[in-house]
Amino acid sequence: MTDLVTRAQLVLLARTLHVPAESLAHLEKLGAAGLHELQQHIARRIFDEHATTFRRVGMLVPVIPLSVSLPLIQRMVPPMMAGRAAGAVGVQHPKKAAEAVGMLGVSYAADCAPYMDPHTVGTLADVAPPGPVVAITNELLRRGDYVTAGPFLAYATPALIRAVEAGVHDDEGMIRSAAYAYSGVGISAIIRHMLHGPAQRMPRLLATVLSGPAELRTTALSVFARCDEDVIAALGDITFDIGTAEQNADFVRVAVEANATRELLTFTGHLGPSALDMLAANPVTGDHAVMSALAAEVADRLEPATLRGLVNLLERTDAETTRRWGRQLFEAADTVLVELPAIVTEARLWPALLRMLSEIDAETQTRLGEAWAKLPAADRDTLERRVHELRLDTRLATLTVTMNIYG
């Protein structure tokens, strides 16, 4: 997970505890996964404490007609109490709950939504009527209550996704809400449908992102970087196709300025060939501050996702850019360079990395060869075989000779 996702999970935890997010800033060190687990645990405890009361309330549902009870509830029961009870009661009586959603006032339902247990909402997703849910979603987005709308995305059924695509027109609100959804699988399912659905919603949504404020672009990037590889590739194709060169460059610069380089590299690492070529040809790759930040991110935290993004980009830039920033990447400590082959293998990057290395100066190849000479003989043999298969023997002679001398 990423720093942007960590921040979103911190806000969700603060909402659960009804405290300012700033008062929990010290918990950011738990990371997104730790904060998500803590928030889920606390939410479960809160709802479990009232389980007995909710069951007693549920016993009244079959007795009192909804036409009688719901008007009274909306006049007399505070939204916090109604919201906390609604999910649990609905699990006991799902058909009644589905009927009630359509009878509640949209404003009151939106007032209750922040206090509902997302887990119980998930069990009702199959029976909830899409129409009223869309109306409530639109009201939440109108209020800017993205913290409430986001977590429910993980439980959206195909039917509800179709209804949202057709009935929720706030593109910015949908992106901002998705930032609070923890599940990359859930986000991917929604975006994949919108990519291939009849409404062809994504070009319009991405145009909103590109023309919107800088903070919206970093928010969108935090969402996109968590998607499945095929979804990222499709998003990238559309983004770089509809965006002007200036917009695409600004998308990159904003991410760097917001310290979202990890998300940017993860996104870049799964772009398709066309989008990668357009990005590599964009003048932003000549921006020293941008490229320095990307190279530093990979060198400081070597991992498959970010390495793939940088290598795939550098392989397509002009020779001078490839040499300059590739050389900086390989200036890492020897201990890091020794770890590099295993990470390259995991990221399926050998062809691209070796082609990039073939453009780098002999001094850098020598240093890398000395570090890789410490690898087991079998690994060195594998490297040499890959070099030969790619017909880079001459251009990588310094690297392979150094490995054999010191190995």
Side-chain angles (χ1 to χ4, degrees), residues 58-212:
M59 294 172 64
L60 299 175
V61 172
V63 177
I64 305 176
L66 293 177
S67 59
V68 175
S69 63
L70 289 183
L72 291 174
I73 288 172
Q74 292 180 87
R75 286 200 301 268
M76 302 175 62
V77 180
M80 178 185 291
M81 184 182 299
R84 288 184 172 175
V89 171
V91 170
Q92 298 178 56
H93 306 284
K95 292 183 178 180
K96 286 283 188 178
E99 184 181 351
V101 170
M103 297 173 66
L104 281 174
V106 172
S107 180
Y108 183 78
D111 291 339
C112 296
Y115 307 103
M116 296 181 69
D117 181 359
H119 288 90
T120 58
V121 171
T123 65
L124 300 176
D126 286 331
V127 296
V133 174
V134 167
I136 296 167
T137 300
N138 279 324
E139 176 61 17
L140 290 173
L141 298 188
R142 187 191 67 78
R143 298 178 180 187
D145 190 0
Y146 312 122
V147 181
T148 295
F152 294 116
L153 293 176
Y155 305 101
T157 63
L160 185 54
I161 292 172
R162 289 192 294 271
V164 167
E165 180 184 31
V168 177
H169 303 294
D170 184 351
D171 295 323
E172 180 174 341
M174 291 181 69
I175 287 293
R176 294 189 182 279
S177 298
Y180 291 99
Y182 183 75
S183 171
V185 174
I187 294 173
S188 293
I190 293 171
I191 295 181
R192 186 178 287 109
H193 173 82
M194 295 175 72
L195 283 164
H196 305 294
Q200 291 294 295
R201 180 73 175 275
M202 290 310 302
R204 191 189 84 188
L205 187 147
L206 289 169
T208 299
V209 169
L210 290 172
S211 62

Side-chain angles (χ1 to χ4, degrees), residues 358-377:
S358 70
E359 299 291 338
I360 293 177
D361 59 273
E363 182 181 348
T364 302
Q365 287 192 27
T366 297
R367 183 168 182 272
L368 191 58
E370 291 174 356
W372 284 1
K374 301 172 185 178
L375 295 171

